[in-house]
């Protein structure tokens, strides 16, 4: 028995269907990916997470592609295979070229390296960088 | 006795001075921050890290500001106070507005949340996201 | 050749068998899961880890289910697929309902999000929360 | 200049004040902690985060104390000093005894240890734990 | 009120004193560092942790210095300031030269970088590296 | 379509072939592992990463085996399956015995545990460990 089965549209409650409908309308696709189908086991979390994502990922001061690049950067740092796979596809769909992907990876790799050099060398924050 | 003292320009070897000179020329500032002064205890790592950073952070398919945003996203995910403080300042220097910062934080927070929802629900990667 | 083969009871040394016997008696099951069979390649670590787990996971000021929920929370945060799978099963065996699982995931997700908002906004610890 | 100043009630917009009022009413205290005052620089994130926290941390299938224990477990795993300090205080306010705290720490420590033993020994998921 | 006060020898129970005595005898120093004084609030965890550390850190197939280097590597990766500070001192006490420290940091930094490049490029495990 | 295909020697550009040739000469093997074949999609990152690795992993104040053990320690802490698999094989090739591997895992596990105990107990850094 699975931890949580994937909830398909056909077997979903009206509450879940309303979220699926909004995902489809917002993303202009019929496809609902497994993340949402798993979360649908908990309609309150499905609804809250979708509404948060919808609000956060909409273009604003940062465009939609930049937001996806940031999402991939976090997912790679956290070693989340599902999130890397799905958000890399999303980023490409929003215009990430191979060159952009390569530069994204280079920055993510280097930031992870220097984060540890700073910690290991116990570097004190410069006065001018202090949040005071 | 400190683990590693900060190496000032005046007391630095020619090898270290050459890196400091390049940092100053590249960044158009006299200021050398503590990270480099700490790394200067190991001139090979100082030189390699600076040259890598210089190459990676230069504008390319991604602009310099986007790269700084990604750097902040990784540093926040890793809980590195020095890196957050210094790269937030760098990002502002390159044009990050308060609104951009707020949206950056919102995306980073949400990505860290959904990375764990995916893991906890043991969500399988959709066929269409598979790297095959 | 595997890094470490799984050590079955039949081929185990008396030292390893003694631990397996105690696992079976304590857990009231014949099943020894792969984690222990892998650790059995190093009998000292097998014995120390089992005895620690046995002591730590026994009901005390916190009941056995609460301890399993905490174990799952850590494993999800660390993105450890084996640990998530095995401790989710253990938690269900100890009484975790689907509703409890959903709430656990919601808390774990939100804590991972706010941990990063705090870091990114460089929030200072309130005087009243200080450990002084 | 700080990254983000703390927004006090007196200088807050009506939108922010409404969230502060709800925090005070829900928590039955006048105290607004620094996390919310920092988030108030971005009223949309303040409102969304508070409403999510309010929903998630309310007693349900898991009681309020258990949820705080889980919050502390995640915060400790992520090495977030602010979150550890504030949620440890919250947990005590909700009834966490010293003994409960000690057991919580023991489980969190052990889970972090065995998460790595599993990874290092490359343990395969047992058939009976598989999410199929 | 502190979360946990530091337990000094003078005010300690016989159970805690016995551990402190063993730490002093094993390490050939009168100094008990804050970690143990904090853990002493929970004598069971103090005793279990000390006995595990004593067993694990004793020279074996790996010498004591190599074990300290590994401890520092993990602590830097996890961004634990206390652990970095204390184990860096321990490593120096056991013979870590500045050159060794520099090389340790270089390896830790690079490993953290390539760990993310591997994840981001979604690299499949080579057949010859598989644990089968 | 894969995110990044693996670049074989036959289809590689002269720039990539030069790196592959150097990997083969340095490691005294014809085998190029998947990590490099994936990175080859971005020749600049391939070259920079290889040259950094070659410099960092060469024997110096620390021998080649110790460096591999540190690499494994970081990879296990970060839960990177590819890196664990490949560097465990590298470490064995450089002389890691089963006993060494067991002790490595024991130290990595314990360090991950005590890192969290320190954080959770909010232990202050001892004066004598301070980097001043």
């Amino acid at each position: 028995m699975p931890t949580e089965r994937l909830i398909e549209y056909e077997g979903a409650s009206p509450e879940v269907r309303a979220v699926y409908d909004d995902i489809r309308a917002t993303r202009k696709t019929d496809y609902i990916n497994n993340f949402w189908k798993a979360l649908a086991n908990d309609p309150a979390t499905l609804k809250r997470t979708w509404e948060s994502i919808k609000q956060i990922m909409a273009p604003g001061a940062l465009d939609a592609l930049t937001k996806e690049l940031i999402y991939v950067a976090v997912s790679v740092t956290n070693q989340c295979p599902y999130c890397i796979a799905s958000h890399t596809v999303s980023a490409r769909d929003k215009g990430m070229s191979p060159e952009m992907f390569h530069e994204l990876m280079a920055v993510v790799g280097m930031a992870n390296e220097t984060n540890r050099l700073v910690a290991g060398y116990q570097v004190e924050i410069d006065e001018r960088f202090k949040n005071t």
Side-chain angles (χ1 to χ4, degrees), chain A:
Chain A
M1 195 194 71
T3 298
E4 300 292 333
R5 72 186 188 285
L6 299 178
I7 307 286
E8 301 297 336
Y9 190 90
E10 292 63 34
S13 67
E15 189 180 4
V16 167
R17 282 190 180 192
V19 175
Y20 284 8
D21 287 338
D22 194 35
I23 292 173
R24 286 170 162 172
T26 304
R27 298 192 161 171
K28 302 185 203 320
T29 170
D30 266 3
Y31 192 69
I32 302 288
N33 54 297
N34 289 350
F35 175 58
W36 303 114
K37 290 181 185 169
L39 277 194
N41 287 281
D42 177 10
T45 292
L46 173 71
K47 185 168 153 54
R48 189 186 63 247
T49 305
W50 164 246
E51 290 179 355
S52 295
I53 289 265
K54 187 182 171 184
Q55 177 186 351
I56 289 167
M57 298 304 281
L62 300 176
D63 59 74
L65 173 55
T66 300
K67 290 183 172 185
E68 282 294 342
L69 297 176
I70 294 164
Y71 224 109
V72 173
V74 171
S75 302
V76 166
T77 299
N78 283 332
Q79 302 271 353
C80 176
Y82 184 92
C83 318
I84 294 167
S86 64
H87 284 279
T88 299
V89 169
S90 296
R92 283 200 304 231
D93 289 347
K94 288 175 181 160
M96 179 178 72
S97 67
E99 290 70 29
M100 287 175 178
F101 174 73
H102 298 151
E103 296 188 11
L104 170 63
M105 286 303 103
V107 177
V108 169
M110 184 54 50
N112 272 288
E113 175 169 359
T114 60
N115 281 191
R116 271 64 182 209
L117 291 174
V118 159
Y121 278 87
Q122 302 180 48
V123 187
E124 296 281 343
I125 299 181
D126 303 60
E127 280 306 314
R128 66 171 61 188
F129 297 153
K130 281 196 177 151
N131 190 20
T132 53

